[in-house]
Amino acid sequence: MAQTKHEIQSLLASADTSPRHRFGQNFMIDQNLVRLVADAGELTPQDWCLEIGPGTGTLTEELLSRAGRVTAVEIDRDLAGLLRERLSGRENFQLIEGDALASKHELNADLRAALDAARRDGLRPKLVANLPYNIASPLVIELLIAGVDLLTFTVQKEVADRFKAQAGSDDYGPLTLMAQMLAKVEVLRNLPPQAFWPAPKIDSSLVRLRRDDRLGAGVKSFDVFMHKVFSFRRKTLRKAIDQAGYDADRIIRESGIDGSLRPEVFTPEQIVELWKIALPTRV
């Protein structure tokens, strides 16, 4: 049974703590939502489930009943102590205390080791989490690059809109390109602030990404290329490619793409085509 708001408040009081804004802590208090998130993760005993920001463990307990192994990563020392006290007796539970990211583009070493161990044990890696909103975007991309097969998570609606955005829209950008070239993106439903405590000031969304890597070993190279080009997104594509340090004339000529349009109007597939042509022409 998922924890109620009162139960979460009591657990926090017992640990002499309260929600910390700097860690992006908004706890799920809608019991139907807890089950919905867990269901969307499609967990089986053959799965390793990663949870980032487990908080007081309301979703964690649901995940433990479904997955073969659950690794929870909690940066808050007080909450980590609470989780250790409540769940350390569960054989399929592992707690990593610390930040899930070692840097913006690098996973925590202990998290990476847990992922590698799960693979060696034949478990399929998945993420199911109510993500701390302040690290969600870089974390999701790094987990996709690392090979996590299925990611199901709650995130602020404006970020979900960027994952799903179409070329030419205001939400379209580097996060869109990376997500859509690494996964199939689904926004399952939007969630009101009242589903969480403390209630955030914005709506949230439940997102599911099924890994579908179309970049392979070139992922980091593509990331660099499209970030450079999109840093000039308001210029024409020809000028953006040139100012990013690539041979714009040759890339435009070989791609057959209209260089007078802005980068933001081109689909992820078209940006990938430009990147592949640009690879040997970096100056």
Side-chain angles (χ1 to χ4, degrees):
M1 180 68 70
Q3 299 163 4
T4 64
K5 175 182 175 181
H6 176 71
E7 288 169 337
I8 291 172
Q9 290 172 328
S10 295
L11 286 168
L12 293 177
S14 72
D16 194 26
T17 189
S18 58
R20 288 172 171 154
H21 179 72
R22 74 178 187 275
F23 292 147
Q25 291 175 349
N26 300 94
F27 302 93
M28 287 192 293
I29 56 173
D30 185 322
Q31 298 184 31
N32 291 327
L33 174 58
V34 171
R35 287 189 291 271
L36 179 68
V37 173
D39 287 344
E42 301 175 355
L43 294 170
T44 75
Q46 287 71 49
D47 294 328
W48 171 72
C49 180
L50 172 65
E51 184 187 11
I52 308 295
T56 57
T58 185
L59 177 60
T60 316
E61 293 180 333
E62 189 72 29
L63 303 178
L64 285 166
S65 70
R66 302 179 185 219
R69 184 183 304 162
V70 175
T71 297
V73 183
E74 179 55 65
I75 193 173
D76 187 312
R77 182 179 304 173
D78 293 328
L79 292 183
L82 177 66
L83 290 163
R84 199 174 287 113
E85 179 181 332
R86 296 186 63 242
L87 300 174
S88 60
R90 303 289 289 269
E91 291 185 359
N92 61 335
F93 176 69
Q94 176 189 15
L95 177 65
I96 296 173
E97 184 175 339
D99 195 330
L101 289 171
S103 67
K104 186 176 181 181
H105 298 293
E106 184 181 1
L107 296 176
N108 175 306
D110 291 336
L111 190 165
R112 170 72 74 168
L115 172 58
D116 291 342
R119 284 205 187 96
R120 287 195 301 271
D121 293 338
L123 298 175
R124 183 185 181 194
K126 295 180 178 180
L127 168 80
V128 183
N130 172 30
L131 287 181
Y133 288 176
N134 53 349
I135 66 166
S137 297
L139 176 63
V140 164
I141 298 303
E142 289 307 309
L143 289 173
L144 285 171
I145 293 172
V148 175
D149 289 335
L150 186 75
L151 294 83
T152 302
F153 54 91
T154 57
V155 72
Q156 61 263 57
K157 183 179 180 298
E158 63 187 43
V159 173
D161 290 343
R162 289 163 62 197
F163 280 122
K164 191 67 175 175
Q166 299 295 311
S169 69
D170 290 340
D171 295 317
Y172 187 71
L175 179 62
T176 313
L177 290 164
M178 289 298 289
Q180 293 186 15
M181 293 311 300
L182 291 171
K184 303 292 187 184
V185 180
E186 300 173 88
V187 177
L188 300 178
R189 63 177 293 177
N190 295 324
L191 309 168
Q194 294 74 26
F196 304 87
W197 175 80
K201 296 180 180 179
I202 54 177
D203 287 344
S204 304
S205 297
L206 176 59
V207 178
R208 182 166 59 201
L209 306 181
R210 297 184 189 274
R211 192 168 184 270
D212 180 24
D213 184 4
R214 290 181 281 168
L215 297 174
V219 60
K220 294 296 186 181
S221 170
F222 175 72
D223 184 56
V224 170
F225 172 79
M226 63 92 181
H227 268 98
K228 285 181 177 292
V229 171
F230 268 72
S231 67
F232 305 104
R233 63 185 295 160
R234 300 303 180 187
K235 296 182 180 292
T236 67
L237 178 64
R238 183 182 297 276
K239 288 183 179 179
I241 292 174
D242 180 66
Q243 293 188 25
Y246 299 88
D247 185 346
D249 289 340
R250 193 176 87 85
I251 293 170
I252 295 299
R253 182 177 68 252
E254 291 188 15
S255 68
I257 288 176
D258 187 348
S260 67
L261 301 176
R262 291 177 174 178
E264 59 197 13
V265 308
F266 295 100
T267 66
E269 291 77 13
Q270 288 173 311
I271 300 297
V272 167
E273 181 183 355
L274 294 170
W275 161 66
K276 288 180 177 178
I277 295 171
L279 279 176
T281 65
R282 185 74 176 93
V283 296

